[in-house]
Amino acid sequence: LALSVLTAAGMPAYAAAQPAPAAPAAAADTLDTRLAAVTQAVKSALPVDALLQQLDGEAEFNGDVNDNALSPRWDLSWSSHAGEISVTAGEDGKVYSYHLRISDSGNRRFWGLDAAFPKADPKQALAAAQSFADRLMGAGESVQLGSSNAGQTDTLVFTGNLLFNGLPSPVDIRVQVRPDDLAVTQYIRDDSYSSILPGLPPAESATTAAAASGLLRSTLDLKPYYVLNEDGKTASLRYVRQSEKNYIVTAADGRLVDLDKVYADLVSSYAESGLSKSGYRTTSNESTADAGAPASSAGGAQLSESELKTIDGLKDVHTREQLDQTLRAVPALGLDHNWTLERVSYSQDRTTGEISAQLRYARPPTDAERKALKDSYQGELLQIQKTIRMNARTNALQSIYTANYYPSPRASAVQNDPQSPEQTQAAEAFLAAQLPAQWRECKPYSAGDDNHLMYAQNVNGYLFPSNRLTIRMDADGTVESLLVNWDDSITFAGADGILSANAAADACMNAFEMPLSYVEYPVLENQILTRKYVLAYAFRYSDGRSFQGIDAKTGEPVWKNYSEPNQYEYTDLAGAFGRTQIEALAAYGVGLPGGRFQPSATLDQKTMLALLLSACGTAPDPSTEEGLDELYTMAYNENLLKAAGRAPDASVTRIEFLRTLLGASIYSDAAKVKGIYTCPFTDRDAIAQSDLGYASLASGLGIARGDDKGRLNPDSTMTRQEAAVMLYNFMMR
């Protein structure tokens, strides 16, 4: 209570107990000199001064650091009323992220249908993005960008995997280009805020790809199960991996390494270090520069008055070492040798100029604390964390927060020990009595959960885990929890002629790429869990999809896409007059699911909505009942339709399509104004007065054109390709 009162009074909480210790002498690597060096290096890598001319020349500058000791990151920003430039950079000035925002650039996002084709040549945009990325590559780094514009029509986005010494890495790069002038507005590396030790091993391997492949094959644990197909109505046999452990074969010595075990051993080492054995350390910033990063160019870029003013404002700010020593000298904070300073982040109040520092400390839990967790602990790195915020000039405390370890969501459900034989017997007796039909078809099933009993349906001698009973018993023999997942309508494929386990393993090996690449390897550095890069062979999953097993009859791999496809592809466009427009839409992620467009088919309401929603960046599939409901929910949200107008199979007329298209766009209000339009169509008398605005705008924007007699034919039913042509014309405006 006393500490709270003193803090609330606006003075350091320890002031009443003892005088504040004098701050140690300033280190040579002070914040102002570090910020000056980083800013100068960034301005040598990026045309900041030229960009500032677009922000009316003079801009306010700010620089904050997230000083995590292992790989600090600086957040720099130049801002004015006209826009902002923001950069995340390393201690050496290496650019990890960049964002340009021009206030009057027109990059607004209308809530609704505002899709339009970018007014730029995609090849020229790619060249601009590639040139920008190449400028920011360090020694030994390279990237080959490609288009990634799934469902995006108002920006041009390019992505690529960062190569280290010509080999794949865990880092992807994303570059966004503004269509108007091909200016890069965003550049992001996946490792923008990663804490990875600097340095790369050489791109040399002491083992062969064939030897590594053999070792990785030995880790496969495949078992045949019935798996529900995408239609949700049938199930077929599939060899499924029993474990997703992360194995690699190190290039340096050809060893098979289980990275999950490496992590577990580090956790154990951290825990076993104990409070009496651990000791705090602070890490110098001298070794944080990445070996492949460009060197800082002293004097190469001139600093502006705004930049010099911000840098000068850091001259009397205490370093992480000074702040740490000050806090450890306060007994009431309890920061003895058991606590490790993990990171320090600085932030500046732009109005007052006050600099705050936030320090995060951590220690291992005591034996008593670990024991109290019981079986809630499942192999995580357990830490007690203390976060302290203070004035970085005066050392006045601003806030203190201590976080005791709490179980992760997956661990929080575990309340008791694994089920005993008596509890298992009681559970099976309960299931046999209460769910006899399902129980007769069940066999024991394990999915890596020792705290629940699971039983899956047995079909033709193989388990079908989608139909299962999950139960947990209390120590007194009563049911603690029960979950019944069961669908009797599933049709099962036959079990004859399936692959052997050996053949399935061969097919699995063929499904994966196993290139020599750089991978992240967990290490414990100065009591801080971090990572380093090692060169290794490993299973490399394809982007945008996950491995679902091997079809037990065909031997083909089964994949599940978890990201939107870059484009729609159709097999039935030959001879269609709208083919050019349909394929142009597909290239930007606008289209219909299923692989067939059926261009001459009558357009119904659900198909119209699916097409228009894809232009909004969403892709619901109306082929299932759940997908149809999702489709209409999205349509209501995007103002394409009112709930009362739901009629999935109803045919759509030309005027209905135009009313829906324009009614959900920025032209909606204008179309409703009466008495101001001159409708050019010869059959304007057949158009309702309330629709004249839609028809007139459709003509003026080039969305709809009259037939050979100049008629709109508002009440004629549309085909799918006619709708695609109108949408294409709308996006070409």
Side-chain angles (χ1 to χ4, degrees), residues 29 35 71 138 155 157 201 257 279 295 347 358 361 374 410 431 478 507 523 529 551 561 576 609-610 624 665:
D29 248 356
L35 176 57
S71 50
T155 58
V157 177
V257 178
S347 60
Q358 184 166 288
Y361 294 86
K374 298 182 179 178
R410 63 185 176 85
L431 294 174
T478 60
V523 292
L529 185 66
D551 188 297
N561 291 322
L609 296 177
T624 65
S665 74

mmCIF file with all atom_site columns, all heavy atoms in Angstrom, residues 29 35 71 138 155 157 201 257 279 295 347 358 361 374 410 431 478 507 523 529 551 561 576 609-610 624 665:
data_model
loop_
_atom_site.group_PDB
_atom_site.id
_atom_site.type_symbol
_atom_site.label_atom_id
_atom_site.label_alt_id
_atom_site.label_comp_id
_atom_site.label_asym_id
_atom_site.label_entity_id
_atom_site.label_seq_id
_atom_site.pdbx_PDB_ins_code
_atom_site.Cartn_x
_atom_site.Cartn_y
_atom_site.Cartn_z
_atom_site.occupancy
_atom_site.B_iso_or_equiv
_atom_site.pdbx_formal_charge
_atom_site.auth_seq_id
_atom_site.auth_comp_id
_atom_site.auth_asym_id
_atom_site.auth_atom_id
_atom_site.pdbx_PDB_model_num
ATOM 1   N N   . ASP A 1 29  ? 28.444  4.086   -25.971 1.00 0.00 ? 29  ASP A N   1
ATOM 2   C CA  . ASP A 1 29  ? 27.352  3.792   -26.904 1.00 0.00 ? 29  ASP A CA  1
ATOM 3   C C   . ASP A 1 29  ? 26.051  4.343   -26.339 1.00 0.00 ? 29  ASP A C   1
ATOM 4   O O   . ASP A 1 29  ? 25.158  3.593   -25.946 1.00 0.00 ? 29  ASP A O   1
ATOM 5   C CB  . ASP A 1 29  ? 27.241  2.277   -27.107 1.00 0.00 ? 29  ASP A CB  1
ATOM 6   C CG  . ASP A 1 29  ? 27.624  1.886   -28.517 1.00 0.00 ? 29  ASP A CG  1
ATOM 7   O OD1 . ASP A 1 29  ? 27.890  2.784   -29.321 1.00 0.00 ? 29  ASP A OD1 1
ATOM 8   O OD2 . ASP A 1 29  ? 27.653  0.684   -28.802 1.00 0.00 ? 29  ASP A OD2 1
ATOM 9   N N   . LEU A 1 35  ? 21.219  6.345   -32.205 1.00 0.00 ? 35  LEU A N   1
ATOM 10  C CA  . LEU A 1 35  ? 20.138  6.802   -33.087 1.00 0.00 ? 35  LEU A CA  1
ATOM 11  C C   . LEU A 1 35  ? 20.701  7.558   -34.285 1.00 0.00 ? 35  LEU A C   1
ATOM 12  O O   . LEU A 1 35  ? 20.229  7.397   -35.419 1.00 0.00 ? 35  LEU A O   1
ATOM 13  C CB  . LEU A 1 35  ? 19.163  7.677   -32.313 1.00 0.00 ? 35  LEU A CB  1
ATOM 14  C CG  . LEU A 1 35  ? 18.025  8.298   -33.130 1.00 0.00 ? 35  LEU A CG  1
ATOM 15  C CD1 . LEU A 1 35  ? 17.201  7.227   -33.836 1.00 0.00 ? 35  LEU A CD1 1
ATOM 16  C CD2 . LEU A 1 35  ? 17.124  9.154   -32.232 1.00 0.00 ? 35  LEU A CD2 1
ATOM 17  N N   . SER A 1 71  ? 19.194  -8.634  -30.654 1.00 0.00 ? 71  SER A N   1
ATOM 18  C CA  . SER A 1 71  ? 19.041  -8.033  -31.984 1.00 0.00 ? 71  SER A CA  1
ATOM 19  C C   . SER A 1 71  ? 18.106  -6.838  -31.871 1.00 0.00 ? 71  SER A C   1
ATOM 20  O O   . SER A 1 71  ? 16.919  -6.946  -32.157 1.00 0.00 ? 71  SER A O   1
ATOM 21  C CB  . SER A 1 71  ? 18.496  -9.050  -32.984 1.00 0.00 ? 71  SER A CB  1
ATOM 22  O OG  . SER A 1 71  ? 17.341  -9.688  -32.464 1.00 0.00 ? 71  SER A OG  1
ATOM 23  N N   . GLY A 1 138 ? 21.279  -7.403  -47.912 1.00 0.00 ? 138 GLY A N   1
ATOM 24  C CA  . GLY A 1 138 ? 22.616  -7.413  -47.344 1.00 0.00 ? 138 GLY A CA  1
ATOM 25  C C   . GLY A 1 138 ? 23.506  -8.364  -48.121 1.00 0.00 ? 138 GLY A C   1
ATOM 26  O O   . GLY A 1 138 ? 23.064  -9.049  -49.052 1.00 0.00 ? 138 GLY A O   1
ATOM 27  N N   . THR A 1 155 ? -4.297  -2.542  -55.041 1.00 0.00 ? 155 THR A N   1
ATOM 28  C CA  . THR A 1 155 ? -2.863  -2.469  -54.821 1.00 0.00 ? 155 THR A CA  1
ATOM 29  C C   . THR A 1 155 ? -2.208  -3.587  -55.618 1.00 0.00 ? 155 THR A C   1
ATOM 30  O O   . THR A 1 155 ? -2.873  -4.539  -56.053 1.00 0.00 ? 155 THR A O   1
ATOM 31  C CB  . THR A 1 155 ? -2.499  -2.645  -53.334 1.00 0.00 ? 155 THR A CB  1
ATOM 32  O OG1 . THR A 1 155 ? -3.005  -3.899  -52.876 1.00 0.00 ? 155 THR A OG1 1
ATOM 33  C CG2 . THR A 1 155 ? -3.050  -1.533  -52.478 1.00 0.00 ? 155 THR A CG2 1
ATOM 34  N N   . VAL A 1 157 ? 0.761   -6.332  -55.099 1.00 0.00 ? 157 VAL A N   1
ATOM 35  C CA  . VAL A 1 157 ? 1.550   -6.946  -54.039 1.00 0.00 ? 157 VAL A CA  1
ATOM 36  C C   . VAL A 1 157 ? 2.452   -8.015  -54.646 1.00 0.00 ? 157 VAL A C   1
ATOM 37  O O   . VAL A 1 157 ? 2.012   -8.822  -55.466 1.00 0.00 ? 157 VAL A O   1
ATOM 38  C CB  . VAL A 1 157 ? 0.646   -7.566  -52.953 1.00 0.00 ? 157 VAL A CB  1
ATOM 39  C CG1 . VAL A 1 157 ? 1.482   -8.257  -51.891 1.00 0.00 ? 157 VAL A CG1 1
ATOM 40  C CG2 . VAL A 1 157 ? -0.234  -6.491  -52.327 1.00 0.00 ? 157 VAL A CG2 1
ATOM 41  N N   . PRO A 1 201 ? 26.115  -19.658 -40.984 1.00 0.00 ? 201 PRO A N   1
ATOM 42  C CA  . PRO A 1 201 ? 27.141  -20.641 -41.352 1.00 0.00 ? 201 PRO A CA  1
ATOM 43  C C   . PRO A 1 201 ? 27.320  -20.641 -42.861 1.00 0.00 ? 201 PRO A C   1
ATOM 44  O O   . PRO A 1 201 ? 26.400  -20.290 -43.602 1.00 0.00 ? 201 PRO A O   1
ATOM 45  C CB  . PRO A 1 201 ? 26.549  -21.966 -40.853 1.00 0.00 ? 201 PRO A CB  1
ATOM 46  C CG  . PRO A 1 201 ? 25.084  -21.740 -40.788 1.00 0.00 ? 201 PRO A CG  1
ATOM 47  C CD  . PRO A 1 201 ? 24.896  -20.288 -40.467 1.00 0.00 ? 201 PRO A CD  1
ATOM 48  N N   . VAL A 1 257 ? 18.393  -34.309 -36.159 1.00 0.00 ? 257 VAL A N   1
ATOM 49  C CA  . VAL A 1 257 ? 18.097  -33.546 -34.943 1.00 0.00 ? 257 VAL A CA  1
ATOM 50  C C   . VAL A 1 257 ? 16.599  -33.308 -34.844 1.00 0.00 ? 257 VAL A C   1
ATOM 51  O O   . VAL A 1 257 ? 15.957  -32.896 -35.817 1.00 0.00 ? 257 VAL A O   1
ATOM 52  C CB  . VAL A 1 257 ? 18.831  -32.181 -34.960 1.00 0.00 ? 257 VAL A CB  1
ATOM 53  C CG1 . VAL A 1 257 ? 18.484  -31.368 -33.724 1.00 0.00 ? 257 VAL A CG1 1
ATOM 54  C CG2 . VAL A 1 257 ? 20.337  -32.392 -35.068 1.00 0.00 ? 257 VAL A CG2 1
ATOM 55  N N   . GLY A 1 279 ? 22.012  -16.561 -12.923 1.00 0.00 ? 279 GLY A N   1
ATOM 56  C CA  . GLY A 1 279 ? 22.546  -15.238 -12.644 1.00 0.00 ? 279 GLY A CA  1
ATOM 57  C C   . GLY A 1 279 ? 22.242  -14.304 -13.782 1.00 0.00 ? 279 GLY A C   1
ATOM 58  O O   . GLY A 1 279 ? 22.236  -14.721 -14.929 1.00 0.00 ? 279 GLY A O   1
ATOM 59  N N   . ALA A 1 295 ? 27.313  -2.022  -44.227 1.00 0.00 ? 295 ALA A N   1
ATOM 60  C CA  . ALA A 1 295 ? 27.920  -1.223  -43.164 1.00 0.00 ? 295 ALA A CA  1
ATOM 61  C C   . ALA A 1 295 ? 27.329  0.174   -43.141 1.00 0.00 ? 295 ALA A C   1
ATOM 62  O O   . ALA A 1 295 ? 26.895  0.708   -44.147 1.00 0.00 ? 295 ALA A O   1
ATOM 63  C CB  . ALA A 1 295 ? 29.427  -1.142  -43.385 1.00 0.00 ? 295 ALA A CB  1
ATOM 64  N N   . SER A 1 347 ? 10.427  4.742   -25.486 1.00 0.00 ? 347 SER A N   1
ATOM 65  C CA  . SER A 1 347 ? 9.400   5.454   -26.249 1.00 0.00 ? 347 SER A CA  1
ATOM 66  C C   . SER A 1 347 ? 9.391   6.913   -25.811 1.00 0.00 ? 347 SER A C   1
ATOM 67  O O   . SER A 1 347 ? 9.649   7.226   -24.647 1.00 0.00 ? 347 SER A O   1
ATOM 68  C CB  . SER A 1 347 ? 8.023   4.820   -26.041 1.00 0.00 ? 347 SER A CB  1
ATOM 69  O OG  . SER A 1 347 ? 7.647   4.854   -24.684 1.00 0.00 ? 347 SER A OG  1
ATOM 70  N N   . GLN A 1 358 ? 10.854  0.817   -20.815 1.00 0.00 ? 358 GLN A N   1
ATOM 71  C CA  . GLN A 1 358 ? 10.159  -0.348  -20.273 1.00 0.00 ? 358 GLN A CA  1
ATOM 72  C C   . GLN A 1 358 ? 11.127  -1.522  -20.259 1.00 0.00 ? 358 GLN A C   1
ATOM 73  O O   . GLN A 1 358 ? 11.640  -1.929  -21.296 1.00 0.00 ? 358 GLN A O   1
ATOM 74  C CB  . GLN A 1 358 ? 8.925   -0.687  -21.115 1.00 0.00 ? 358 GLN A CB  1
ATOM 75  C CG  . GLN A 1 358 ? 8.101   -1.833  -20.542 1.00 0.00 ? 358 GLN A CG  1
ATOM 76  C CD  . GLN A 1 358 ? 6.731   -1.924  -21.190 1.00 0.00 ? 358 GLN A CD  1
ATOM 77  O OE1 . GLN A 1 358 ? 5.877   -1.082  -20.947 1.00 0.00 ? 358 GLN A OE1 1
ATOM 78  N NE2 . GLN A 1 358 ? 6.538   -2.937  -22.017 1.00 0.00 ? 358 GLN A NE2 1
ATOM 79  N N   . TYR A 1 361 ? 12.071  -8.184  -17.122 1.00 0.00 ? 361 TYR A N   1
ATOM 80  C CA  . TYR A 1 361 ? 12.935  -9.156  -16.450 1.00 0.00 ? 361 TYR A CA  1
ATOM 81  C C   . TYR A 1 361 ? 12.222  -10.512 -16.400 1.00 0.00 ? 361 TYR A C   1
ATOM 82  O O   . TYR A 1 361 ? 10.987  -10.578 -16.438 1.00 0.00 ? 361 TYR A O   1
ATOM 83  C CB  . TYR A 1 361 ? 13.240  -8.709  -15.015 1.00 0.00 ? 361 TYR A CB  1
ATOM 84  C CG  . TYR A 1 361 ? 14.078  -7.454  -14.905 1.00 0.00 ? 361 TYR A CG  1
ATOM 85  C CD1 . TYR A 1 361 ? 13.484  -6.197  -14.929 1.00 0.00 ? 361 TYR A CD1 1
ATOM 86  C CD2 . TYR A 1 361 ? 15.455  -7.535  -14.761 1.00 0.00 ? 361 TYR A CD2 1
ATOM 87  C CE1 . TYR A 1 361 ? 14.254  -5.038  -14.817 1.00 0.00 ? 361 TYR A CE1 1
ATOM 88  C CE2 . TYR A 1 361 ? 16.229  -6.377  -14.651 1.00 0.00 ? 361 TYR A CE2 1
ATOM 89  C CZ  . TYR A 1 361 ? 15.620  -5.136  -14.678 1.00 0.00 ? 361 TYR A CZ  1
ATOM 90  O OH  . TYR A 1 361 ? 16.388  -4.004  -14.565 1.00 0.00 ? 361 TYR A OH  1
ATOM 91  N N   . LYS A 1 374 ? 1.327   -28.530 -11.414 1.00 0.00 ? 374 LYS A N   1
ATOM 92  C CA  . LYS A 1 374 ? 0.942   -29.931 -11.623 1.00 0.00 ? 374 LYS A CA  1
ATOM 93  C C   . LYS A 1 374 ? 0.970   -30.263 -13.101 1.00 0.00 ? 374 LYS A C   1
ATOM 94  O O   . LYS A 1 374 ? 1.926   -29.964 -13.800 1.00 0.00 ? 374 LYS A O   1
ATOM 95  C CB  . LYS A 1 374 ? -0.426  -30.204 -10.985 1.00 0.00 ? 374 LYS A CB  1
ATOM 96  C CG  . LYS A 1 374 ? -0.436  -30.005 -9.476  1.00 0.00 ? 374 LYS A CG  1
ATOM 97  C CD  . LYS A 1 374 ? -1.798  -30.327 -8.880  1.00 0.00 ? 374 LYS A CD  1
ATOM 98  C CE  . LYS A 1 374 ? -1.775  -30.151 -7.378  1.00 0.00 ? 374 LYS A CE  1
ATOM 99  N NZ  . LYS A 1 374 ? -3.102  -30.409 -6.757  1.00 0.00 ? 374 LYS A NZ  1
ATOM 100 N N   . ARG A 1 410 ? -4.416  -24.572 -24.241 1.00 0.00 ? 410 ARG A N   1
ATOM 101 C CA  . ARG A 1 410 ? -4.533  -26.010 -24.423 1.00 0.00 ? 410 ARG A CA  1
ATOM 102 C C   . ARG A 1 410 ? -4.227  -26.758 -23.138 1.00 0.00 ? 410 ARG A C   1
ATOM 103 O O   . ARG A 1 410 ? -4.639  -27.893 -22.969 1.00 0.00 ? 410 ARG A O   1
ATOM 104 C CB  . ARG A 1 410 ? -3.588  -26.488 -25.529 1.00 0.00 ? 410 ARG A CB  1
ATOM 105 C CG  . ARG A 1 410 ? -2.123  -26.271 -25.235 1.00 0.00 ? 410 ARG A CG  1
ATOM 106 C CD  . ARG A 1 410 ? -1.292  -26.683 -26.456 1.00 0.00 ? 410 ARG A CD  1
ATOM 107 N NE  . ARG A 1 410 ? 0.120   -26.421 -26.273 1.00 0.00 ? 410 ARG A NE  1
ATOM 108 C CZ  . ARG A 1 410 ? 0.963   -27.242 -25.670 1.00 0.00 ? 410 ARG A CZ  1
ATOM 109 N NH1 . ARG A 1 410 ? 0.513   -28.389 -25.181 1.00 0.00 ? 410 ARG A NH1 1
ATOM 110 N NH2 . ARG A 1 410 ? 2.228   -26.928 -25.544 1.00 0.00 ? 410 ARG A NH2 1
ATOM 111 N N   . LEU A 1 431 ? -20.084 -45.723 -21.337 1.00 0.00 ? 431 LEU A N   1
ATOM 112 C CA  . LEU A 1 431 ? -20.329 -45.580 -22.771 1.00 0.00 ? 431 LEU A CA  1
ATOM 113 C C   . LEU A 1 431 ? -21.133 -46.749 -23.311 1.00 0.00 ? 431 LEU A C   1
ATOM 114 O O   . LEU A 1 431 ? -22.025 -46.567 -24.156 1.00 0.00 ? 431 LEU A O   1
ATOM 115 C CB  . LEU A 1 431 ? -19.001 -45.456 -23.525 1.00 0.00 ? 431 LEU A CB  1
ATOM 116 C CG  . LEU A 1 431 ? -18.182 -44.192 -23.230 1.00 0.00 ? 431 LEU A CG  1
ATOM 117 C CD1 . LEU A 1 431 ? -16.825 -44.271 -23.918 1.00 0.00 ? 431 LEU A CD1 1
ATOM 118 C CD2 . LEU A 1 431 ? -18.927 -42.943 -23.688 1.00 0.00 ? 431 LEU A CD2 1
ATOM 119 N N   . THR A 1 478 ? -17.126 -40.807 -11.421 1.00 0.00 ? 478 THR A N   1
ATOM 120 C CA  . THR A 1 478 ? -18.192 -40.086 -12.113 1.00 0.00 ? 478 THR A CA  1
ATOM 121 C C   . THR A 1 478 ? -17.634 -39.450 -13.391 1.00 0.00 ? 478 THR A C   1
ATOM 122 O O   . THR A 1 478 ? -16.424 -39.249 -13.532 1.00 0.00 ? 478 THR A O   1
ATOM 123 C CB  . THR A 1 478 ? -18.790 -38.991 -11.216 1.00 0.00 ? 478 THR A CB  1
ATOM 124 O OG1 . THR A 1 478 ? -17.757 -38.069 -10.851 1.00 0.00 ? 478 THR A OG1 1
ATOM 125 C CG2 . THR A 1 478 ? -19.386 -39.610 -9.962  1.00 0.00 ? 478 THR A CG2 1
ATOM 126 N N   . ALA A 1 507 ? 5.726   -42.529 -51.075 1.00 0.00 ? 507 ALA A N   1
ATOM 127 C CA  . ALA A 1 507 ? 4.881   -41.474 -51.647 1.00 0.00 ? 507 ALA A CA  1
ATOM 128 C C   . ALA A 1 507 ? 4.979   -40.197 -50.819 1.00 0.00 ? 507 ALA A C   1
ATOM 129 O O   . ALA A 1 507 ? 4.983   -39.085 -51.366 1.00 0.00 ? 507 ALA A O   1
ATOM 130 C CB  . ALA A 1 507 ? 3.431   -41.945 -51.716 1.00 0.00 ? 507 ALA A CB  1
ATOM 131 N N   . VAL A 1 523 ? 18.187  -21.742 -29.197 1.00 0.00 ? 523 VAL A N   1
ATOM 132 C CA  . VAL A 1 523 ? 19.336  -21.710 -28.291 1.00 0.00 ? 523 VAL A CA  1
ATOM 133 C C   . VAL A 1 523 ? 18.964  -20.878 -27.074 1.00 0.00 ? 523 VAL A C   1
ATOM 134 O O   . VAL A 1 523 ? 18.070  -20.032 -27.127 1.00 0.00 ? 523 VAL A O   1
ATOM 135 C CB  . VAL A 1 523 ? 20.598  -21.122 -28.967 1.00 0.00 ? 523 VAL A CB  1
ATOM 136 C CG1 . VAL A 1 523 ? 21.120  -22.037 -30.054 1.00 0.00 ? 523 VAL A CG1 1
ATOM 137 C CG2 . VAL A 1 523 ? 20.318  -19.733 -29.524 1.00 0.00 ? 523 VAL A CG2 1
ATOM 138 N N   . LEU A 1 529 ? 15.841  -17.246 -24.210 1.00 0.00 ? 529 LEU A N   1
ATOM 139 C CA  . LEU A 1 529 ? 15.549  -18.193 -25.272 1.00 0.00 ? 529 LEU A CA  1
ATOM 140 C C   . LEU A 1 529 ? 15.479  -17.447 -26.596 1.00 0.00 ? 529 LEU A C   1
ATOM 141 O O   . LEU A 1 529 ? 14.673  -16.535 -26.769 1.00 0.00 ? 529 LEU A O   1
ATOM 142 C CB  . LEU A 1 529 ? 14.221  -18.922 -25.013 1.00 0.00 ? 529 LEU A CB  1
ATOM 143 C CG  . LEU A 1 529 ? 13.890  -20.037 -26.012 1.00 0.00 ? 529 LEU A CG  1
ATOM 144 C CD1 . LEU A 1 529 ? 14.878  -21.181 -25.895 1.00 0.00 ? 529 LEU A CD1 1
ATOM 145 C CD2 . LEU A 1 529 ? 12.470  -20.545 -25.796 1.00 0.00 ? 529 LEU A CD2 1
ATOM 146 N N   . ASP A 1 551 ? -3.216  -40.623 -50.071 1.00 0.00 ? 551 ASP A N   1
ATOM 147 C CA  . ASP A 1 551 ? -4.365  -41.451 -50.436 1.00 0.00 ? 551 ASP A CA  1
ATOM 148 C C   . ASP A 1 551 ? -3.918  -42.899 -50.451 1.00 0.00 ? 551 ASP A C   1
ATOM 149 O O   . ASP A 1 551 ? -2.993  -43.280 -51.171 1.00 0.00 ? 551 ASP A O   1
ATOM 150 C CB  . ASP A 1 551 ? -4.885  -41.036 -51.814 1.00 0.00 ? 551 ASP A CB  1
ATOM 151 C CG  . ASP A 1 551 ? -6.203  -41.718 -52.166 1.00 0.00 ? 551 ASP A CG  1
ATOM 152 O OD1 . ASP A 1 551 ? -6.212  -42.964 -52.281 1.00 0.00 ? 551 ASP A OD1 1
ATOM 153 O OD2 . ASP A 1 551 ? -7.207  -41.022 -52.361 1.00 0.00 ? 551 ASP A OD2 1
ATOM 154 N N   . ASN A 1 561 ? -5.540  -26.363 -48.905 1.00 0.00 ? 561 ASN A N   1
ATOM 155 C CA  . ASN A 1 561 ? -5.154  -24.962 -49.077 1.00 0.00 ? 561 ASN A CA  1
ATOM 156 C C   . ASN A 1 561 ? -5.702  -24.138 -47.918 1.00 0.00 ? 561 ASN A C   1
ATOM 157 O O   . ASN A 1 561 ? -6.875  -24.251 -47.570 1.00 0.00 ? 561 ASN A O   1
ATOM 158 C CB  . ASN A 1 561 ? -5.686  -24.412 -50.398 1.00 0.00 ? 561 ASN A CB  1
ATOM 159 C CG  . ASN A 1 561 ? -5.000  -25.034 -51.603 1.00 0.00 ? 561 ASN A CG  1
ATOM 160 O OD1 . ASN A 1 561 ? -3.800  -25.281 -51.573 1.00 0.00 ? 561 ASN A OD1 1
ATOM 161 N ND2 . ASN A 1 561 ? -5.751  -25.306 -52.651 1.00 0.00 ? 561 ASN A ND2 1
ATOM 162 N N   . ALA A 1 576 ? -16.340 -18.847 -75.670 1.00 0.00 ? 576 ALA A N   1
ATOM 163 C CA  . ALA A 1 576 ? -17.152 -17.877 -74.922 1.00 0.00 ? 576 ALA A CA  1
ATOM 164 C C   . ALA A 1 576 ? -16.762 -16.459 -75.318 1.00 0.00 ? 576 ALA A C   1
ATOM 165 O O   . ALA A 1 576 ? -15.570 -16.113 -75.339 1.00 0.00 ? 576 ALA A O   1
ATOM 166 C CB  . ALA A 1 576 ? -16.961 -18.073 -73.420 1.00 0.00 ? 576 ALA A CB  1
ATOM 167 N N   . LEU A 1 609 ? -23.934 -13.020 -56.430 1.00 0.00 ? 609 LEU A N   1
ATOM 168 C CA  . LEU A 1 609 ? -23.342 -12.570 -55.174 1.00 0.00 ? 609 LEU A CA  1
ATOM 169 C C   . LEU A 1 609 ? -21.937 -13.131 -54.991 1.00 0.00 ? 609 LEU A C   1
ATOM 170 O O   . LEU A 1 609 ? -21.040 -12.436 -54.509 1.00 0.00 ? 609 LEU A O   1
ATOM 171 C CB  . LEU A 1 609 ? -24.237 -12.965 -53.998 1.00 0.00 ? 609 LEU A CB  1
ATOM 172 C CG  . LEU A 1 609 ? -25.625 -12.309 -53.970 1.00 0.00 ? 609 LEU A CG  1
ATOM 173 C CD1 . LEU A 1 609 ? -26.440 -12.840 -52.796 1.00 0.00 ? 609 LEU A CD1 1
ATOM 174 C CD2 . LEU A 1 609 ? -25.506 -10.789 -53.910 1.00 0.00 ? 609 LEU A CD2 1
ATOM 175 N N   . ALA A 1 610 ? -21.732 -14.406 -55.366 1.00 0.00 ? 610 ALA A N   1
ATOM 176 C CA  . ALA A 1 610 ? -20.396 -14.997 -55.256 1.00 0.00 ? 610 ALA A CA  1
ATOM 177 C C   . ALA A 1 610 ? -19.394 -14.243 -56.120 1.00 0.00 ? 610 ALA A C   1
ATOM 178 O O   . ALA A 1 610 ? -18.253 -13.991 -55.715 1.00 0.00 ? 610 ALA A O   1
ATOM 179 C CB  . ALA A 1 610 ? -20.440 -16.470 -55.647 1.00 0.00 ? 610 ALA A CB  1
ATOM 180 N N   . THR A 1 624 ? -22.454 -25.534 -50.624 1.00 0.00 ? 624 THR A N   1
ATOM 181 C CA  . THR A 1 624 ? -22.926 -26.227 -49.429 1.00 0.00 ? 624 THR A CA  1
ATOM 182 C C   . THR A 1 624 ? -23.885 -25.315 -48.667 1.00 0.00 ? 624 THR A C   1
ATOM 183 O O   . THR A 1 624 ? -23.906 -24.091 -48.879 1.00 0.00 ? 624 THR A O   1
ATOM 184 C CB  . THR A 1 624 ? -21.756 -26.605 -48.507 1.00 0.00 ? 624 THR A CB  1
ATOM 185 O OG1 . THR A 1 624 ? -21.138 -25.402 -48.006 1.00 0.00 ? 624 THR A OG1 1
ATOM 186 C CG2 . THR A 1 624 ? -20.705 -27.413 -49.271 1.00 0.00 ? 624 THR A CG2 1
ATOM 187 N N   . SER A 1 665 ? -21.774 0.292   -54.439 1.00 0.00 ? 665 SER A N   1
ATOM 188 C CA  . SER A 1 665 ? -20.548 1.031   -54.730 1.00 0.00 ? 665 SER A CA  1
ATOM 189 C C   . SER A 1 665 ? -20.669 2.472   -54.247 1.00 0.00 ? 665 SER A C   1
ATOM 190 O O   . SER A 1 665 ? -21.677 2.884   -53.665 1.00 0.00 ? 665 SER A O   1
ATOM 191 C CB  . SER A 1 665 ? -20.291 1.013   -56.238 1.00 0.00 ? 665 SER A CB  1
ATOM 192 O OG  . SER A 1 665 ? -21.191 1.885   -56.902 1.00 0.00 ? 665 SER A OG  1
#
